[in-house]
Amino acid sequence: AQTVTQSQPEMSVQEAETVTLSCTYDTSESDYYLFWYKQPPSRQMILVIRQEAYKQQNATENRFSVNFQKAAKSFSLKISDSQLGDAAMYFCAYRRGQRGGADGLTFGKGTHLIIQP
Amino acid sequence: NAGVTQTPKFQVLKTGQSMTLQCAQDMNHNSMYWYRQDPGMGLRLIYYSASEGTTDKGEVPNGYNVSRLNKREFSLRLESAAPSQTSVYFCASNLAGEHNEQFFGPGTRLTVL
């Protein structure tokens, strides 16, 4: 079974600076997808960014980018120019491929990101 | 377009009581999911329905049953609630397709006394 590990329970960063959240995963599959979700205090789960395992190019969405190292099974999230609204729990998630997107997600335990003004 | 809706938002039960959590989506999605989130944990998959008429167990199915009533609705039933089922429950859905994201409902906070 696949597992997702987030080794940083909590991270703190000054507003406008850059922070990197770590995620490692374990799988025997070659086809899979990786996601970062944000959960603010409202509890709503919001997709931040996704990465297809078959793509070598790292995904980028505005201030958010990933460092995907397939051989190392590492998938870190970099947030540039941190803003107060970025404060939230961040979850790394994995989904197996080749099932038409029907499989559920496997989540890490999350990293609580604090933004210092 | 309401997205994924869940009812109720909050519920308190006594041990042994039963209840059904309701989930509906209006995005014409094929697949639907139920997760639970416990303090200090990520979400864990309880059950999912890849398409209308099918359901499958996830990581933590014990103590739960599900019904995919139609394409829009996917309910989660606790037949005899236990304190270990105190959690926040999320419903999610996605359109068929490898790269498609899951959309989540707002969650139901359930407390079992």
Side-chain angles (χ1 to χ4, degrees):
Chain A
Q2 56 274 0
T3 57
V4 177
T5 302
Q6 294 179 248
S7 58
Q8 305 153 315
E10 187 172 278
M11 292 283 285
S12 181
V13 64
Q14 291 289 130
E15 192 177 2
E17 296 196 341
T18 296
V19 63
T20 298
L21 308 184
S22 300
C23 172
T24 59
Y25 59 94
D26 189 22
T27 182
S28 58
E29 305 283 342
S30 59
D31 184 11
Y32 54 87
Y33 296 78
L34 297 165
F35 306 84
W36 278 98
Y37 277 87
K38 171 185 178 180
Q39 186 180 45
S42 67
R43 214 165 61 194
Q44 183 66 48
M45 295 291 288
I46 303 163
L47 179 68
V48 174
I49 199 165
R50 86 190 83 191
Q51 175 78 44
E52 295 87 344
Y54 63 83
K55 287 189 177 178
Q56 292 188 331
Q57 186 173 6
N58 289 325
T60 299
E61 289 286 344
N62 300 314
R63 297 182 296 108
F64 299 88
S65 62
V66 299
N67 184 3
F68 174 49
Q69 302 288 329
K70 191 172 184 179
K73 294 181 180 174
S74 171
F75 182 60
S76 60
L77 175 69
K78 185 171 83 170
I79 306 173
S80 303
D81 185 25
S82 298
Q83 300 176 359
L84 294 177
D86 295 334
M89 285 292 292
Y90 285 81
F91 293 97
C92 179
Y94 165 101
R95 185 176 71 200
R96 184 176 59 167
Q98 296 184 345
R99 287 261 296 158
D103 267 9
L105 296 168
T106 299
F107 285 87
K109 292 185 177 182
T111 296
H112 181 210
L113 179 63
I114 298 167
I115 311 294
Q116 305 279 5
Chain B
N1 190 338
V4 180
T5 57
Q6 292 182 235
T7 55
K9 286 187 169 48
F10 302 92
Q11 184 71 47
V12 179
L13 292 178
K14 294 182 180 178
T15 296
Q17 287 185 318
S18 63
M19 80 160 295
T20 300
L21 305 184
Q22 305 286 356
C23 174
Q25 51 88 13
D26 62 0
M27 297 176 282
N28 201 33
H29 285 174
N30 307 84
S31 303
M32 298 185 73
Y33 310 82
W34 277 105
Y35 295 89
R36 62 177 287 173
Q37 183 178 25
D38 301 307
M41 302 284 288
L43 281 68
R44 290 183 293 168
L45 184 66
I46 305 171
Y47 269 95
Y48 67 104
S49 171
S51 61
E52 189 178 354
T54 69
T55 61
D56 285 289
K57 294 179 180 179
E59 181 186 352
V60 288
N62 291 345
Y64 305 95
N65 286 301
V66 291
S67 294
R68 183 75 182 266
L69 304 170
N70 47 54
K71 191 172 186 179
R72 289 187 63 248
E73 299 172 288
F74 188 39
S75 63
L76 178 72
R77 182 159 179 85
L78 288 70
E79 290 291 352
S80 179
S84 61
Q85 294 178 304
T86 293
S87 190
V88 179
Y89 291 85
F90 287 93
C91 178
S93 70
N94 65 251
L95 201 56
E98 293 289 325
H99 61 282
N100 287 327
E101 69 174 281
Q102 285 188 13
F103 290 84
F104 286 80
T108 294
R109 181 176 292 279
L110 175 67
T111 301
V112 183
L113 302 175

